[in-house]
């Protein structure tokens, strides 16, 4: 029996990618699609590549209609919108994966600081499970609402969490991350026009990016250690992907073999983590749900560069959401994702 699934926000980059990936899932039926469209439109008319693959309409959101048509909901909605919708779905016993930031930050005051609005669903904020299966799988199995991680946090947390949990690196962590402009969503913006992005790169929001408190919170949850994070994001003129370069210092000298063994002990059973030698390249993860991690150790054995690479729309959003859905529904974790 197939699970009937709804995608709310089905015309954004993440929503479109969710539909694409869900079509490959043998136990899923896409039963409801919604967006800000003024009237119902065939989804294949919005995205012709889905012709003969998706035969339902994309409709203006009607929660009552959605509840009748679907049992599982992906909220690919803008930040601050999901918390208006999720409570109504949860009240009716539906399972929810929210791909916005609305349920990631446990401190509602920090959420208000970075997103500019008061959080109005504290009840479900407390219940939400952070959707990083490599560290929270058992909690995800029992969750009714999962907060899908941000794309930057996914790349950074997976790269450094084992070292922090083993308490072998200093608190100070420096991160430079490069991302495709698709991470900013489909909303119109002159700076995001093709001609302005192609063959270009720029830094934005140093010290104040909204993913900083998310990274700090989750790394503390995993390791029990408060970090000092310097995070500098960049836009780079590629179609998709995130490439994070992370600088850490060890408390005492470490060998390359020991460093490798630590990562293997944490990730050998994780189907979507690949350790790469030499260092990862972005193109190897594009179109996949993999996170590739590599590292280089200084000759003194006390300083390392850790590199992680993901597709920001898949392991950084839609693919990770489906991975979480698989865990919540008791499917094989890789179902529909090994393309």
């Amino acid at each position: 029996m197939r699970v009937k699934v709804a995608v709310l926000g089905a015309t954004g980059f993440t929503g479109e990618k969710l539909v694409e990936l869900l079509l490959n899932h043998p136990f899923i039926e896409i039963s409801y699609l919604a967006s800000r469209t003024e009237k119902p439109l065939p989804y294949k008319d919005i995205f012709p590549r889905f012709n003969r693959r998706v035969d339902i309409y994309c409709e203006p959101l009607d929660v009552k209609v959605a509840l009748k048509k679907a049992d599982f909901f992906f909220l690919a909605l803008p930040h601050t919108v999901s918390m208006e919708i999720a409570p109504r779905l949860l009240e009716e016993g539906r399972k929810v994966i929210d791909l916005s930031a609305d349920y990631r930050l446990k401190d509602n005051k920090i959420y208000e600081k970075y997103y500019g609005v008061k959080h109005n669903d504290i009840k479900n904020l407390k219940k939400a499970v952070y959707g990083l299966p490599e560290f929270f799988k058992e909690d995800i199995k029992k969750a009714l609402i999962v907060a899908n991680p941000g794309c930057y946090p996914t790349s950074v947390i997976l790269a450094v969490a084992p070292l922090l949990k083993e308490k072998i690196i200093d608190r100070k962590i420096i991160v430079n991350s490069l991302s495709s402009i698709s991470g900013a969503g489909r909303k119109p913006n002159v700076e995001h026009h093709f001609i302005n992005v192609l063959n270009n790169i720029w830094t934005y929001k140093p010290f104040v990016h909204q993913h900083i408190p998310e990274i700090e919170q989750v790394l503390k949850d995993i390791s029990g250690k408060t970090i000092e994070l310097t995070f500098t994001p960049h836009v780079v003129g590629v179609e998709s992907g995130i490439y994070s370069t992370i600088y850490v210092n060890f408390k005492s000298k470490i060998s390359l073999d020991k460093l490798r063994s630590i990562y293997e002990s944490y990730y050998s059973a994780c189907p979507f983590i690949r350790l790469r030698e030499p260092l990862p390249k972005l193109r190897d993860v594009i179109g996949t749900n993999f996170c590739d991690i590599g590292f280089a150790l200084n000759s003194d054995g006390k300083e390392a560069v850790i590199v992680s690479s993901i597709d920001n729309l898949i392991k950084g959003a839609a693919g990770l959401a489906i991975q979480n859905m698989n865990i919540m529904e008791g499917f094989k974790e890789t179902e529909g994702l090994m393309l």
Side-chain angles (χ1 to χ4, degrees):
M1 184 175 178
R2 292 189 167 196
V3 177
K4 293 185 176 181
V5 165
V7 178
L8 310 187
T11 56
F13 287 129
T14 298
E16 179 188 1
K17 184 61 69 174
L18 272 167
V19 172
E20 176 187 328
L21 295 174
L22 288 168
L23 287 173
N24 295 295
H25 201 296
F27 305 122
I28 294 301
E29 175 189 345
I30 301 174
S31 59
Y32 184 81
L33 299 174
S35 73
R36 289 176 173 173
T37 180
E38 294 181 0
K39 61 180 181 180
L41 292 171
Y43 197 68
K44 63 186 179 183
D45 287 357
I46 302 171
F47 299 110
R49 69 192 185 94
F50 292 118
N51 190 21
R52 298 188 181 181
R53 300 177 68 203
V54 179
D55 293 324
I56 64 175
Y57 278 67
C58 186
E59 309 173 20
L61 176 59
D62 185 321
V63 174
K64 290 183 179 179
V65 173
L67 285 166
K68 292 177 182 178
K69 292 187 175 183
D71 301 309
F72 198 106
F73 285 78
F74 292 97
L75 308 188
L77 300 168
H79 307 308
T80 76
V81 175
S82 288
M83 63 181 172
E84 305 292 338
I85 307 298
R88 299 168 66 184
L89 304 175
L90 294 165
E91 285 170 6
E92 298 297 326
R94 303 302 194 267
K95 292 181 180 179
V96 174
I97 293 180
D98 177 36
L99 288 96
S100 82
D102 285 7
Y103 293 91
R104 295 174 190 161
L105 296 174
K106 293 304 181 183
D107 187 332
N108 59 295
K109 298 297 183 184
I110 294 178
Y111 176 87
E112 184 175 345
K113 174 183 176 181
Y114 280 85
Y115 292 93
V117 299
K118 183 178 180 180
H119 204 293
N120 61 10
D121 188 23
I122 304 300
K123 174 185 173 183
N124 290 311
L125 178 63
K126 293 178 180 179
K127 297 178 181 178
V129 171
Y130 192 76
L132 197 65
E134 290 79 8
F135 289 95
F136 303 110
K137 184 183 293 187
E138 293 305 311
D139 293 327
I140 293 168
K141 286 180 181 179
K142 300 174 285 186
L144 292 178
I145 178 168
V146 165
N148 217 60
C151 49
Y152 283 129
T154 298
S155 71
V156 175
I157 293 165
L158 290 174
V160 299
L163 306 182
L164 280 168
K165 194 167 175 61
E166 292 297 310
K167 297 179 170 52
I168 60 173
I169 59 173
D170 294 338
R171 293 173 55 197
K172 182 65 177 178
I173 298 172
I174 299 173
V175 180
N176 288 320
S177 288
L178 293 83
S179 175
S180 159
I181 197 64
S182 59
R186 198 167 240 135
K187 57 185 179 294
N189 185 317
V190 171
E191 194 175 49
H192 300 173
H193 286 184
F194 173 79
I195 197 66
N196 293 327
V197 175
L198 180 66
N199 297 325
N200 201 2
I201 184 171
W202 68 87
T203 301
Y204 71 105
K205 290 188 176 180
F207 304 110
V208 296
H209 194 278
Q210 64 271 18
H211 283 168
I212 291 173
E214 181 182 341
I215 296 169
E216 293 175 335
Q217 170 191 285
V218 178
L219 286 176
K220 184 176 181 180
D221 288 344
I222 291 171
S223 68
K225 187 179 182 68
T226 300
I227 66 166
E228 296 176 5
L229 177 66
T230 298
F231 175 70
T232 308
H234 306 72
V235 170
V236 62
V238 296
E239 184 176 347
S240 61
I242 285 181
Y243 196 88
S244 293
T245 304
I246 303 155
Y247 306 89
V248 298
N249 290 292
F250 294 92
K251 295 178 180 178
S252 58
K253 185 176 181 179
I254 191 171
S255 69
L256 196 60
D257 286 342
K258 176 62 176 178
L259 185 56
R260 186 184 301 110
S261 70
I262 290 172
Y263 280 98
E264 288 174 346
S265 70
Y266 278 87
Y267 292 140
S268 60
C270 297
F272 293 112
I273 304 292
R274 301 187 298 195
L275 301 182
R276 302 301 299 267
E277 296 182 48
L279 297 173
K281 294 181 179 179
L282 183 62
R283 69 172 57 183
D284 294 331
V285 298
I286 299 306
T288 81
N289 196 53
F290 289 111
C291 174
D292 284 0
I293 299 173
F295 38 82
L297 189 62
N298 197 350
S299 58
D300 65 6
K302 297 193 69 174
E303 181 182 13
V305 171
I306 316 296
V307 174
S308 73
S309 182
I310 63 171
D311 186 314
N312 61 301
L313 292 179
I314 303 183
K315 185 59 172 175
L320 180 53
I322 292 171
Q323 187 180 352
N324 283 320
M325 177 199 68
N326 285 337
I327 294 168
M328 294 168 77
E329 290 294 318
F331 301 140
K332 187 178 178 182
E333 189 173 341
T334 58
E335 201 70 72
L337 291 169
M338 288 298 193
L339 306 180

